[in-house]
Amino acid sequence: MTEKQTSRTVRLEEWATLLMLPITFWLCNKVGKPFDFRPDSYYRFFLPAIVLFILLCPLVLYLSKKWGSSFTIKPMVILRDWWTLPVCFAIYSNLKVLVPLYGKGVYDHYFYIWEVKIWEVFTSTGQYPTKWLLENSGPTFTWIMDKSYISFFYLYPISFALVYFGGHRREFRRLLCGIILIYYLGAALYLWLPVVGPIYYGPTAEVRQLVIDRSNDMGGATVPKLQTYLLINYQQVIESPQTYITRPFVGIGAFPSLHVAHTLLFLLSAWKTNKWLFAAYVPLFVTLSISTVFWGWHWVGDLIAGAIITAILFPLLGKYLKED
């Protein structure tokens, strides 16, 4: 196949994104008002990660060249590889906010019942993991949970820079396609099985106070601030859905856990490309997964669902990309 023919090939991630755009516009206009993209919402939570990405890419590029990696950088190829990611993120973050409108009846009660039963086998307390962790944690553990949860947003620039500028183009494609497809599968499941997580689930409202207490123990934490921001918007949506406008970082969806799905994807990608990065990601994957339950974002079932999605997608994408 010639270079000219190759440039005209529409790739998997591009097909998926082109397909999701009209679907997203239709859903948002059917349920709420049209899109209201507010850049400040993105920058508020992702500016540190963006700055890290800008600084990290030249550093990795320099080290790769110094260590003898031979590859050429083509701006148009980079643009083609990466253009779908911001579009995909915009689609996903606007789909997720529809959960409060679609999820008039959430399924948290079933997760709550099963986790109490299963956790009782291990602790004999009749509690569920989130409450048990919050009640049995100290300031140091809380600090670790806070930093582990927030570290998720930095894994994107770190993984992208090290894989792409490390010369692992095939694995980069798998990483890129994996991120995008996980986003879309997650958004579909949010709408199909609405779950909001222990922190927002009515009968377990005591979790909110426990989170506040643990945060105060360590002198404040970042995660509860984000939870409060989302909760206020979530309540406004429920109270007045007719005036609701789809915005990023307004919706609350828990099933599946995309923190776990994407972190496992980064872990598997590192295993294929960079052993020392893989070694660094293993403990982070464990603490980050625990932190999603600790702070009440997710039930354990959400974590299992996220891990299953990645475990299925990763080898499938590897097989597909060999033929791409």
Side-chain angles (χ1 to χ4, degrees), residues 252-272:
I252 298 170
F255 182 86
S257 169
L258 297 197
H259 265 62
V260 169
H262 278 153
T263 306
L264 181 57
L265 180 69
F266 297 141
L267 180 67
L268 294 174
S269 178
W271 175 59
K272 288 286 187 180

Side-chain angles (χ1 to χ4, degrees), residues 185-315:
L185 285 172
L189 287 171
Y190 288 153
L191 300 178
W192 177 66
L193 190 68
V195 174
V196 296
I199 190 68
Y200 303 122
Y201 177 50
T204 62
E206 72 270 13
V207 170
R208 294 194 200 102
Q209 187 58 49
L210 286 170
V211 165
I212 294 172
D213 293 342
R214 294 296 81 77
S215 178
N216 291 337
D217 288 343
M218 62 167 284
T222 304
V223 175
K225 296 175 184 177
L226 177 58
Q227 288 174 329
T228 301
Y229 174 83
L230 289 176
L231 178 61
I232 292 173
N233 286 288
Y234 178 80
Q235 291 170 335
Q236 290 175 346
V237 170
I238 296 299
E239 291 170 1
S240 183
Q242 294 79 13
T243 59
Y244 173 65
I245 299 176
T246 51
R247 289 191 179 117
F249 303 105
V250 177
I252 298 170
F255 182 86
S257 169
L258 297 197
H259 265 62
V260 169
H262 278 153
T263 306
L264 181 57
L265 180 69
F266 297 141
L267 180 67
L268 294 174
S269 178
W271 175 59
K272 288 286 187 180
T273 60
N274 196 312
K275 299 306 180 187
W276 68 262
L277 184 64
F278 173 76
Y281 275 2
V282 168
L284 183 59
F285 173 71
V286 174
T287 57
L288 194 149
S289 299
I290 295 173
S291 74
T292 65
V293 176
F294 176 85
W295 290 113
W297 292 107
H298 291 292
W299 306 97
V300 174
D302 304 331
L303 274 60
I304 295 173
I308 289 174
I309 288 175
T310 299
I312 293 174
L313 272 181
F314 192 77

Side-chain angles (χ1 to χ4, degrees), residues 5 26 42 47 61 63 78 121 127 131 135 155 160 173-174 182 210 286 290 292 310 324:
Q5 288 174 317
W26 175 75
Y42 289 102
L47 182 60
L61 180 61
L63 293 176
I78 294 178
V121 175
Q127 294 180 334
K131 187 178 179 183
E135 289 185 344
L155 298 184
F160 266 48
R173 287 276 335 278
R174 173 149 61 171
I182 286 171
L210 286 170
V286 174
I290 295 173
T292 65
T310 299
D324 183 22

Side-chain angles (χ1 to χ4, degrees), residues 41-217:
S41 296
Y42 289 102
Y43 298 151
R44 184 181 310 167
F45 298 110
F46 290 97
L47 182 60
I50 293 170
V51 171
L52 176 64
F53 187 61
I54 293 172
L55 297 176
L56 189 63
C57 284
L59 175 63
V60 174
L61 180 61
Y62 168 76
L63 293 176
S64 298
K65 289 288 188 182
K66 186 176 181 180
W67 290 338
S69 298
S70 58
F71 61 92
T72 57
I73 293 185
K74 299 178 180 179
M76 292 307 297
V77 174
I78 294 178
L79 182 63
R80 177 188 175 117
D81 279 344
W82 291 11
W83 79 271
T84 48
L85 195 62
V87 178
C88 161
F89 182 72
I91 292 172
Y92 159 77
S93 58
N94 278 276
L95 276 176
K96 186 174 182 179
V97 302
L98 300 179
V99 172
L101 300 180
Y102 273 100
K104 296 186 185 208
V106 296
Y107 293 87
D108 289 78
H109 183 63
Y110 299 100
F111 286 81
Y112 168 72
I113 291 175
W114 280 105
E115 294 202 2
V116 168
K117 290 181 179 178
I118 294 173
W119 202 245
E120 191 170 11
V121 175
F122 298 99
T123 64
S124 301
T125 61
Q127 294 180 334
Y128 46 97
T130 296
K131 187 178 179 183
W132 186 89
L133 285 168
L134 285 167
E135 289 185 344
N136 292 277
S137 62
T140 301
F141 187 76
T142 302
W143 183 88
I144 293 173
M145 292 295 97
D146 185 59
K147 303 313 173 190
S148 296
Y149 189 89
I150 297 301
S151 70
F152 170 76
F153 302 108
Y154 295 89
L155 298 184
Y156 288 91
I158 291 173
S159 294
F160 266 48
L162 292 178
V163 174
Y164 192 90
F165 292 110
H168 306 283
R169 298 303 169 84
R170 184 183 295 277
E171 286 304 317
F172 176 81
R173 287 276 335 278
R174 173 149 61 171
L175 183 62
L176 179 66
C177 290
I179 288 172
I180 289 173
L181 293 180
I182 286 171
Y183 269 140
Y184 295 153
L185 285 172
L189 287 171
Y190 288 153
L191 300 178
W192 177 66
L193 190 68
V195 174
V196 296
I199 190 68
Y200 303 122
Y201 177 50
T204 62
E206 72 270 13
V207 170
R208 294 194 200 102
Q209 187 58 49
L210 286 170
V211 165
I212 294 172
D213 293 342
R214 294 296 81 77
S215 178
N216 291 337
D217 288 343

